[in-house]
Every structure is written in C-alpha cells, then in structure tokens.
Amino acid sequence: MISTLLKLLLAHFLGDFVLQPYKWVLSKERKGAGSAYFWFHIGIHFLLMFLFTGFKLSIMPVITGIGISHLVIDLLKIKLKNQVSSIYLFFADQALHLLVIFMALGFYFNIDWTHSLKFQDKWLILVLAFVLITYVSGVIMKIVLSKWDLLDFEGEALEKAGWYIGMLERLFIFGFVFLEYWAGIGFLIAAKSIFRFSDLSKSKDRKLTEYVLIGTLLSYGLALVIALGSLQLWFYFH
C-alpha cells in the first residue's frame, strides 16, 4: 500500500499545483462552484488518481472519498477566503487534503510501513520529490512572501525569472544532498551572494535586502527538508 500512497500523493500535488493554472484559481475564487474551472480541477484529480492506481476496483471507494472531500475542502476554502489570511488558509487547505489521503487509505487498507518497495515504485519517491522541489515549493514561497508588496522597487527583471532561478537552486541542492556533496551547497550560497551583492548594494531600501534574504533562506530550507526526507525514504524502503 506504500506505493499506492505515493501515487495518491503525487496525483494530489500534480493536480493542485502543476496542472492548475493561476487563471483557474482566480476563476474559482470569484465564482466558486459556478466556475467551470472548479469542476475541471476536481475532474483532473479524479482522473489522475484513477490513472496512477490503474483503475483497480479495490481502490475505487478510497478514490471516491478523497475526490469528494477535495471538492468539499475547496468549497470551504473559497467561502473563507475573505475571512482568513491567505497564508493560513493555504496551509490549512493542504493539511486537510493530505490528512484525508492518509486517513482514507489507512482506514480502508492496512498500511505496512515496514514493507519494502519495488525498484520501479521507489522511483515514485524521486518523482514526488521533484514535484515538491519545483512547483510546490515555488507556490509555498509565493504564498508566504505575498504579505510583502515589492511593486515600488525600481528595476526590471525577466518574466518569472525569480521563479525559475529558485527552482534551479532547489534542484541543485537536491542533487548535492543525494550525492552527499555538502560543499556544493556552500558554493551555491556563496555564488548567489556574489551575484546579488551588487543589486542589493545599489538599493537603499532595506526591505529589498530582507525580502531577498528571507526568500533565499526559505527556498534553501524547503529544498534541504525535501531532499533529506526523500533520501531517508529511499533507503528506508529497501
């Protein structure tokens, strides 16, 4: 059942982060269940879960329960969007989705945490880690840093450059951790500090420096946690 759990988690993160364009999110927030994108989103979750689990009849009740709960949780999130901070709402929403997946699978099946994974299933750990390192971490950073408005800062940047730079940094850290090349992480931090020093030294606004520092530490922290967690799982399920 560990492989099934990994597949359901992968389906969730792909459906909620990779395969949900921002315009879908905006439409859902404005129209709620009246948005066609809301139902596209729920449909994608059902489709991904069915595809990843191989359309097995034994898992249908679990998938149905998770899918319906996803619909209810998303509706609740939309209803509370004007009453609760977007940061708290985001993490509460994700926590509830993940809790339902674990509870549904644990209630319906007996999950044996000592069970070993086949080699092809162990690759699910790396695929899941890749999705977490790239898209999920990027969205988390966007949500957390959204409380600071930097529109007043001067200077132009390439479209979504920060998103892709952060993604590449986290992928490098992931690789360094798996290779146990810890010096590489230090080199990456030093290299970024050199490149960013001129930008920050030209800016008289302390907020920009603090914003960059918070973003960098958060990005590196997420990458390290995901990489170390994936490494532990890879060797745990021998």
Side-chain angles (χ1 to χ4, degrees):
M1 280 299 103
I2 299 299
S3 62
T4 302
L5 175 61
L6 292 174
K7 291 172 183 176
L8 291 176
L9 290 174
L10 182 58
H12 167 73
F13 288 118
L14 284 175
D16 245 20
F17 294 89
V18 181
L19 300 178
Q20 182 176 206
Y22 187 57
K23 69 175 183 179
W24 289 24
V25 177
L26 293 178
S27 178
K28 287 164 52 181
E29 289 179 349
R30 288 196 304 266
K31 302 179 182 179
S35 170
Y37 293 127
F38 176 87
W39 299 104
F40 289 162
H41 175 66
I42 299 300
I44 285 175
H45 272 279
F46 271 107
L47 180 61
L48 288 173
M49 287 189 290
F50 282 131
L51 284 175
F52 289 168
T53 56
F55 294 94
K56 295 179 182 178
L57 290 177
S58 60
I59 200 73
M60 292 296 181
V62 173
I63 292 177
T64 302
I66 293 173
I68 294 175
S69 71
H70 197 104
L71 186 153
V72 173
I73 293 171
D74 276 12
L75 285 175
L76 182 62
K77 179 183 177 182
I78 294 169
K79 186 177 181 63
L80 296 175
K81 68 182 180 66
N82 294 324
Q83 304 173 33
V84 182
S85 166
S86 60
I87 297 177
Y88 296 138
L89 202 56
F90 169 80
F91 285 108
D93 170 71
Q94 290 303 312
L96 285 175
H97 287 315
L98 296 178
L99 181 62
V100 167
I101 292 174
F102 279 93
M103 288 182 62
L105 199 60
F107 177 79
Y108 203 75
F109 298 102
N110 180 27
I111 301 179
D112 183 5
W113 295 103
T114 63
H115 181 67
S116 61
L117 284 173
K118 297 178 181 178
F119 183 75
Q120 59 266 33
D121 291 332
K122 286 184 70 174
W123 281 98
L124 287 170
I125 296 174
L126 296 185
V127 175
L128 183 59
F130 176 81
V131 174
L132 292 173
I133 282 280
T134 53
Y135 284 89
V136 177
S137 294
V139 173
I140 289 175
M141 290 187 60
K142 182 179 179 181
I143 294 293
V144 173
L145 297 177
S146 64
K147 62 185 297 184
W148 294 290
D149 184 12
L150 297 182
L151 295 178
D152 296 333
F153 288 123
E154 297 180 356
E156 296 182 356
L158 296 175
E159 184 179 0
K160 300 187 75 173
W163 173 277
Y164 293 116
I165 291 172
M167 187 182 295
L168 289 171
E169 288 175 347
R170 292 189 295 274
L171 286 173
F172 274 120
I173 291 176
F174 184 81
F176 290 148
V177 170
F178 258 75
L179 294 173
E180 296 186 353
Y181 182 54
W182 300 101
I185 299 176
F187 172 79
L188 193 63
I189 295 174
K192 182 169 185 178
S193 300
I194 293 172
F195 282 119
R196 287 299 259 162
F197 177 76
S198 60
D199 293 336
L200 297 178
S201 62
K202 292 176 183 177
S203 174
K204 296 181 180 180
D205 199 320
R206 178 180 173 182
K207 288 193 295 183
L208 177 59
T209 304
E210 293 174 341
Y211 180 87
V212 172
L213 182 59
I214 292 172
T216 299
L217 292 176
L218 178 59
S219 181
Y220 285 20
L222 286 171
L224 283 171
V225 169
I226 295 169
L228 290 171
S230 302
L231 190 63
Q232 290 297 317
L233 287 176
W234 179 270
F235 290 110
Y236 179 79
F237 296 114
H238 53 276

